[in-house]
Amino acid sequence: MNLRNLAVKLGGEWRGNGDLNITSIKDLEHHSPVDPNAIYYIASKKYLSKHPKYRDVQIALTVDSLAEQFPNSIIVPERSSKVQFIQAVSLFEKKPVHEIKISERASIHPSAKIGKDVTIMENVVIQSNVVIGDKCVIYPNVVLESGVEIGENTELRSGVVIYYNCKLGKNNLIHSNTVIGADGFGFYDFEGVRYKVPQIGNVVIGNDVEMGANCTVDRAALEETTIGNFTKFDDHVHVGHNCRVGNYVYIAGATVLAGSVTLEDGCILAGQSAVAEHLTMKKGSILMGLSGLTEDSKEKTAYFGIPARPALEMHRIHSSLGFLPEIVKYFQKLKK
């Protein structure tokens, strides 16, 4: 792909040698030498000062104010430059191309309904009354239990297990070894007997959802555990039974939601955070990394710590901790 053609595809303006061949897109933060045939995304002066190797860059995806720094460039609007970068990366992505077919080594119940142009690979198990929409791709060793519904253009990577009666919308990507619809953690002790509370609900997932590897979403006890549209999970996320996760939510790795948690639209949960049962994170609120939320949040407010408090308040508390030894000594003297 040459500079001119790439600029047209990205809706940008090119400067320099339009016939220059671009072989890849690379990251300037890598310690390897700058590749003269690779394009680099550089859109801020701060980035220039942080990475002096920019002087060796021959081809840049950049903004107008920085274009003169490079002999060849594609200039895009500063406001949308990250979007054009994402589009550029997708053009250089080399995804495996799978033949559209159903493997003879897949086990598919006769009552299952399979849409058009569906790929089902070896060792997949599809039980009774499963519905799979058009253009889905099901990787090896996936298990879809009875009554599961999968929307069109959804991709299930190797080892995904979806329990009975759970439903996924369209355009979803579920990474390897994620389990959707296992029993919630419901038990009751009475007079020396531990009773298991039947989990008779299911999981309902919206459209354009992505879940990382090794995530778990438990089915509801009675109704539905729900995940909204455009919500994205990192790896190792756990969602307990009866949770309600809204639209456009981000959940980073190793984060845990206890049962019956509600995350309203636009919430962000950083890595290794946790939310206690029956709490609500209000719209647009943030739970910072390594934090544990023990009360409902306020809208568009960041929380930090264990137990989590509004971040500004918690930072003031932390800044005071260094004075505690002196304060203790002072009060000990007063007691004497």
Side-chain angles (χ1 to χ4, degrees):
M1 187 182 311
N2 64 32
L3 182 71
R4 184 187 303 106
N5 291 339
L6 181 56
V8 170
K9 289 182 178 181
L10 298 179
E13 173 191 350
W14 62 273
R15 293 182 189 176
N17 180 4
D19 296 322
L20 186 64
N21 187 43
I22 303 173
T23 59
S24 61
I25 184 167
K26 291 191 174 180
D27 186 352
L28 196 59
E29 294 185 26
H30 255 280
H31 298 296
S32 56
V34 172
D35 185 342
N37 292 111
I39 188 168
Y40 293 83
Y41 173 58
I42 303 172
S44 72
K45 290 183 179 179
K46 183 179 179 180
Y47 194 87
L48 295 182
S49 60
K50 187 177 179 181
H51 301 287
K53 286 195 301 182
Y54 81 87
R55 297 183 181 89
D56 299 325
V57 170
Q58 298 298 303
I59 314 167
L61 175 61
T62 188
V63 295
D64 189 60
S65 60
L66 301 178
E68 293 182 0
Q69 303 285 342
F70 311 102
N72 305 281
S73 60
I74 296 175
I75 304 167
V76 294
E78 186 170 355
R79 180 173 174 271
S80 63
S81 66
K82 192 62 178 283
V83 174
Q84 269 99 8
F85 164 69
I86 293 169
Q87 292 170 341
V89 172
S90 68
L91 291 172
F92 287 98
E93 186 177 15
K94 297 178 181 177
K95 278 189 173 182
V97 178
H98 301 292
E99 183 181 357
I100 298 174
K101 70 173 188 178
I102 297 176
S103 171
E104 294 178 355
R105 294 171 58 191
S107 175
I108 303 174
H109 194 275
S111 64
K113 296 179 180 179
I114 312 297
K116 299 176 181 178
D117 300 325
V118 171
T119 299
I120 299 177
M121 301 182 194
E122 58 273 14
N123 302 323
V124 170
V125 175
I126 298 175
Q127 296 182 354
S128 61
N129 300 313
V130 167
V131 177
I132 299 177
D134 298 345
K135 298 181 180 180
C136 288
V137 179
I138 315 296
Y139 278 71
N141 303 312
V142 167
V143 177
L144 305 180
E145 293 188 356
S146 299
V148 164
E149 296 181 13
I150 308 295
E152 65 184 49
N153 201 39
T154 286
E155 188 170 315
L156 305 178
R157 294 292 179 88
S158 299
V160 167
V161 178
I162 303 181
Y163 281 47
Y164 61 96
N165 297 336
C166 293
K167 304 179 188 301
L168 279 69
K170 61 184 180 179
N171 304 323
N172 292 321
L173 173 57
I174 311 299
H175 285 278
S176 294
N177 300 319
T178 284
V179 177
I180 296 170
D183 283 356
F185 194 60
F187 297 91
Y188 179 70
D189 292 349
F190 180 72
E191 294 183 347
V193 178
R194 177 159 290 176
Y195 294 89
K196 178 179 173 64
V197 180
Q199 307 290 295
I200 65 173
N202 67 348
V203 176
V204 177
I205 295 173
N207 304 322
D208 299 280
V209 171
E210 181 166 344
M211 294 185 183
N214 298 296
C215 293
T216 52
V217 182
D218 287 349
R219 68 194 311 109
L222 299 177
E223 304 291 341
E224 299 174 344
T225 299
T226 59
I227 311 294
N229 301 327
F230 294 98
T231 284
K232 310 297 181 182
F233 290 8
D234 195 358
D235 299 338
H236 299 281
V237 169
H238 173 70
V239 177
H241 61 180
N242 308 323
C243 285
R244 302 284 190 268
V245 177
N247 303 314
Y248 293 95
V249 171
Y250 281 118
I251 305 181
T255 291
V256 175
L257 305 183
S260 301
V261 165
T262 297
L263 305 182
E264 294 184 353
D265 295 349
C267 288
I268 298 174
L269 287 77
Q272 297 185 326
S273 58
V275 181
E277 68 277 3
H278 298 281
L279 295 184
T280 297
M281 285 187 65
K282 296 296 180 64
K283 186 175 181 179
S285 58
I286 298 170
L287 184 59
M288 299 171 70
L290 296 169
S291 298
L293 192 69
T294 57
E295 59 182 21
D296 292 348
S297 75
K298 298 178 181 178
E299 280 194 11
K300 298 180 180 179
T301 302
Y303 287 77
F304 175 66
I306 302 176
R309 299 186 183 188
L312 292 177
E313 176 186 339
M314 185 58 79
H315 288 316
R316 285 195 295 268
I317 291 171
H318 283 180
S319 66
S320 303
L321 291 178
F323 299 104
L324 280 179
E326 296 179 14
I327 295 172
V328 170
K329 288 180 181 179
Y330 174 76
F331 279 102
Q332 285 174 340
K333 289 180 180 179
L334 288 179
K335 286 182 179 180
K336 294 179 181 179

